Amino acid sequence: MCVFSGWRCSVADPTSAGVLYVVATPIGNLDDISARALRVLGDVALIAAEDTRHSQRLLQHFGITTPLQACHEHNEREQGGRFLSRLLAGDDVALISDAGTPLISDPGFHLVRQARAAGVRVVPVPGPSALITALSAAGLPSDRFIFEGFLPAKAAGRRARLEALREEPRTLIFYEAPHRLLESLEALRDTLGAERQVVLARELTKTFETLKGLPAGELCEWVRADANQQRGECVLLVAGWQAPEGDEAVSAEALRVLDLLLAELPVKRAAALAAEITGARKNLLYQVALERQSK
Ligand code: SAM
């Protein structure tokens, strides 16, 4: 027996229960749907869709007549029980969102969790996702990256989130709505610095696909000067933090403390105190302090 939000379900009998397929759909170009996705969407008994009217158009385009039922962020927890009943009764169900991979800044997490807890087999059918599509063509380091979803809509929350990411060395990836693009770029410039490299990946896989990489300050001006860049869907990718040249291994916080102390104390004393306060190596801070004084 498993329990979710007061809803009880029995645990699946693997021989008779259906399968929940998590199916990625295109983020613009319909040719990007996979042959396997089409086969699964045509074969299942039911499709759980974020917006049934939106997905109906996709299915119509491919001649798929499988019935759709809504599974969006407002009803997902309650509706989960209904989908689960169908799965436990032996029906296969496909989960799709409006575009890209379900659960990635899209509904589906609760249903997948409920299904797995009930012992239902969950099978991913991979395909497009805007963040991976953007990363694959942005030209920023892709060996390590973090996906931050959408930044908070309010300015204070947005800045606080970015402040916390100031010294993040991995490539940062954000989703953004077009009407907030400029504000977010300005916040990136103000918190991470005008020189930080940012790539705007807009309208991926569509007619007006644009990938533009510039330092944050210049990208703000480029977007401000062209209203077309403030339309459509976009992903922002930001180069990870790198210690300024010659200051390797010295965190921004240690540099801040060092600069404050250098304004009041001789170099040696400032370096020693900064090392004690921040835990950075004294010799390294001394070298950095000498370099900063000679500039
Ligand atoms: N589940 C989707 C995925 O796997 O990418 C993401 C859904 S999220 C609600 C929508 C956001 O994804 C948009 O605001 C935008 O940031 C990004 N996005 C989706 N399609 C895009 C595209 N064609 N070009 C650029 N960004 C896109």
Side-chain angles (χ1 to χ4, degrees):
M1 178 79 76
C2 63
V3 181
F4 279 105
S5 317
W7 186 83
R8 286 163 191 282
C9 66
S10 44
V11 174
D13 167 0
T15 54
S16 60
V19 172
L20 175 62
Y21 293 94
V22 182
V23 181
T25 57
I27 56 169
N29 189 327
L30 294 185
D31 287 350
D32 291 337
I33 199 152
S34 74
R36 184 170 170 225
L38 290 177
R39 183 171 52 72
V40 167
L41 292 175
D43 284 354
V44 293
L46 179 68
I47 297 175
E50 180 182 6
D51 176 341
T52 52
R53 277 201 300 187
H54 177 96
S55 294
Q56 192 63 61
R57 290 194 287 275
L58 177 82
L59 297 186
Q60 250 162 19
H61 179 86
F62 291 108
I64 293 170
T65 54
T66 308
L68 289 158
Q69 250 179 47
C71 177
H72 45 68
E73 60 175 323
H74 305 296
N75 76 352
E76 192 190 337
R77 281 169 196 258
E78 307 79 63
Q79 278 295 102
R82 294 211 188 143
F83 292 118
L84 217 42
S85 302
R86 294 287 298 266
L87 286 158
L88 293 173
D91 286 331
D92 290 340
V93 175
L95 169 68
I96 59 174
S97 61
D98 287 355
T101 302
L103 280 80
I104 307 300
S105 294
D106 264 344
F109 163 67
H110 297 288
L111 178 56
V112 167
R113 192 169 62 155
Q114 289 172 11
R116 287 180 58 82
V120 168
R121 194 167 153 229
V122 179
V123 173
V125 181
S129 187
L131 78 107
I132 299 296
T133 308
L135 184 65
S136 71
L140 292 176
S142 53
D143 49 344
R144 296 176 73 212
F145 60 90
I146 59 167
F147 173 55
E148 280 288 315
F150 288 91
L151 281 166
K154 292 200 176 134
R158 191 161 50 220
R159 273 172 205 264
R161 176 80 58 86
L162 289 173
E163 284 291 347
L165 293 167
R166 197 141 55 104
E167 285 184 39
E168 171 54 61
R170 293 167 291 184
T171 296
L172 301 150
I173 306 178
F174 302 96
Y175 281 166
E176 196 44 281
H179 62 279
R180 279 203 287 268
L181 172 63
L182 197 50
E183 276 174 60
S184 286
L185 280 173
E186 286 168 352
L188 282 169
R189 176 197 62 197
D190 297 345
T191 48
L192 308 183
E195 294 310 313
R196 187 76 76 97
Q197 192 70 17
V198 180
V199 176
L200 168 64
R202 209 176 63 79
E203 293 290 86
L204 292 165
T205 78
K206 305 185 201 175
T207 310
F208 296 107
E209 180 177 85
T210 308
L211 279 138
K212 185 76 176 175
L214 282 172
E218 288 177 42
L219 192 59
C220 278
E221 295 318 311
W222 187 78
V223 168
R224 195 197 313 281
D226 182 356
N228 283 330
Q229 302 305 332
Q230 298 166 46
R231 300 201 176 102
E233 297 189 284
C234 60
V235 181
L236 288 171
L237 305 98
V238 183
W241 182 77
Q242 278 187 313
E245 229 166 278
D247 299 355
E248 288 92 342
V250 180
S251 71
E253 178 58 10
L255 288 175
R256 195 181 68 81
V257 172
L258 181 65
D259 284 340
L260 285 174
L261 294 173
L262 276 174
E264 306 292 335
L265 297 170
V267 173
K268 206 168 174 188
R269 183 82 192 115
L273 262 182
E276 209 165 299
I277 294 167
T278 64
R281 281 198 300 122
K282 190 163 73 178
N283 286 352
L284 189 59
L285 284 183
Y286 183 63
Q287 287 307 319
V288 171
L290 287 177
E291 279 167 28
R292 288 169 108 72
Q293 289 258 303
S294 66
K295 275 182 190 167

